[in-house]
Amino acid sequence: MQLSLNGQVALVTGGSSGIGAAVAEALAKAGAAVAINYHSSAEPAEELAKRIQDAGGRAIAVGGDVGDEAAVQALFDRTLEAFGRLDILVANSGLQKDAPVADLSLEDWNTVINTNLTGQFLCARAAIRQFRQQGRDENISRALGKIIHMSSVHEVIPWAGHVNYAASKGGVNLLMRSLAQEVAAEGIRVNGIAPGAIATAINEEVTGDEAKARELLKLIPYKRVGHVDDVGNVAVFLASDLADYIVGTTLFVDGGMCLYPGFEDNG
Ligand code: BGC
C-alpha cells in the first residue's frame, strides 16, 4: 500500500500559517486537493494556494471563523463547490491568550475555548455529516472519512499561566476520543496530533530568544525545537490508508516533551 492521497480532498482549518500551512502543503504534495481555511488574513492563504497550484496541485483559500456555526457551514459549502467531496478534515485552528489565572478575563477564556474547542466540534460535525452523505469509495480510501484534531502536549501536561489553552486541549482529547468511539463503526477514523514546541509564530517569543530557547530545550529530551514539517509529515501518514487501523489515538510529535524531562538526570 502506498502513502498517497490521490483523488482525496482535504480541508485544513487555520491553514494560512504555521503548522496548518505545513499540513496543507504536505497533504497537497501527497496528492490531495486542499481547501486552506484562514480567519483574518487572506493573503498568506492565497499565496499558499497559488504555490500548490504552481506545483501542479489543487488548492483554494477560504475565509471563515471556525467558532461561528454559519461560517463553518459556508466553509464546507465552498470546499464542496470547488472539489465536489471531502475525505480529510484537519481541525487545526487554534490560538493562545495567556495570562496568570487571576488576570485572565472571561473574554480571553471564551475566545480560546471557542476557537480551539467549539471550532473543532463544529468542523468535525460538518465533516461527519458530509462523509455520511457522500458514502464510501474504496478506490479513494478504505475509510469513509478521516478527521485529525490538532491538539497539543498540553492535552496532558498542565500549563500554569495558560489555563484556557490547556483546558481547551484537554477538551480536544476527549472530544476526539468520544467522536472516534461514536463514528468508528461507520468507517470514520478520528484521531489527534499533539505537537510539542514547534517553531511558529505562536511561540516565537520563546524560540526567538536565545536564553529562553535554551531553557525550552531542557524540556525536550530530543534537544531540538520541532519544525512544522515534523507535524505535516505525521498528518499525511494519519490521513492515509497506511494508518487505516489507527482510530481514536493521539500521536505526540514532541521530541519527548511528555517524558517528564525533569527526571532525565535520575530525578
Ligand atoms: C503551544 C506552544 C508551546 C508548546 C509546548 C503548544 O501547544 O502552542 O506555545 O511552546 O505547546 O509547551
Side-chain angles (χ1 to χ4, degrees):
M1 196 177 289
Q2 282 186 345
L3 198 157
S4 161
L5 302 177
N6 278 339
Q8 301 198 41
V9 176
L11 167 61
V12 182
T13 68
S16 63
S17 67
I19 288 174
V23 167
E25 199 154 14
L27 294 174
K29 275 196 187 133
V34 190
I36 303 159
N37 159 255
Y38 60 89
H39 181 208
S40 36
S41 47
E43 214 173 282
E46 275 157 11
E47 275 168 18
L48 176 56
K50 172 94 176 37
R51 201 159 66 237
I52 291 171
Q53 288 161 8
D54 290 348
R58 293 192 300 156
I60 54 164
V62 198
D65 176 356
V66 295
D68 176 320
E69 193 171 22
V72 168
Q73 191 54 55
L75 169 61
F76 277 72
D77 288 349
R78 181 76 192 88
T79 303
L80 292 166
E81 211 176 273
F83 298 128
R85 59 179 295 113
L86 183 73
D87 303 283
I88 301 158
L89 164 70
V90 183
N92 168 76
S93 297
L95 48 85
Q96 286 180 218
K97 297 258 177 203
D98 310 325
V101 69
D103 302 328
L104 181 61
S105 66
L106 177 60
E107 192 187 348
D108 283 356
W109 169 270
N110 283 337
T111 302
V112 168
I113 297 293
N114 194 50
T115 298
N116 296 14
L117 183 56
T118 308
Q120 295 217 4
F121 153 66
L122 289 173
C123 291
R125 187 182 66 175
I128 288 165
R129 287 174 177 164
Q130 177 56 30
F131 296 155
R132 284 177 178 161
Q133 203 178 311
Q134 74 195 15
R136 199 187 309 225
D137 182 345
E138 298 251 353
N139 293 320
I140 290 183
S141 171
R142 292 181 74 181
L144 181 68
K146 281 92 49 156
I147 296 175
I148 298 172
H149 289 280
M150 198 58 71
S151 183
S152 162
V153 287
H154 298 295
E155 74 170 39
V156 292
I157 302 179
W159 203 11
H162 309 255
V163 296
N164 48 358
Y165 185 81
S168 73
K169 296 302 185 178
V172 164
N173 174 265
L174 270 176
L175 167 68
M176 180 280 286
R177 291 168 63 209
S178 302
L179 276 180
Q181 191 190 55
E182 187 168 333
V183 300
E186 298 168 68
I188 301 175
R189 291 197 297 111
V190 184
N191 289 290
I193 297 177
I198 309 293
T200 66
I202 209 168
N203 55 20
E204 70 188 358
E205 191 202 319
V206 176
T207 54
D209 175 304
E210 211 179 303
K212 288 183 183 166
R214 211 173 314 118
E215 282 304 301
L216 176 62
L217 285 183
K218 291 186 185 159
L219 299 176
I220 308 173
Y222 204 53
K223 298 301 166 214
R224 75 168 171 86
V225 169
H227 188 273
V228 287
D229 291 344
D230 292 319
V231 183
N233 292 336
V234 171
V236 171
F237 166 68
L238 255 190
S240 79
D241 278 359
L242 289 182
D244 191 55
Y245 208 51
I246 301 185
V247 174
T249 292
T250 301
L251 295 188
F252 286 83
V253 184
D254 68 350
M257 196 175 230
C258 287
L259 296 174
Y260 297 95
F263 284 81
E264 224 168 42
D265 294 324
N266 212 14

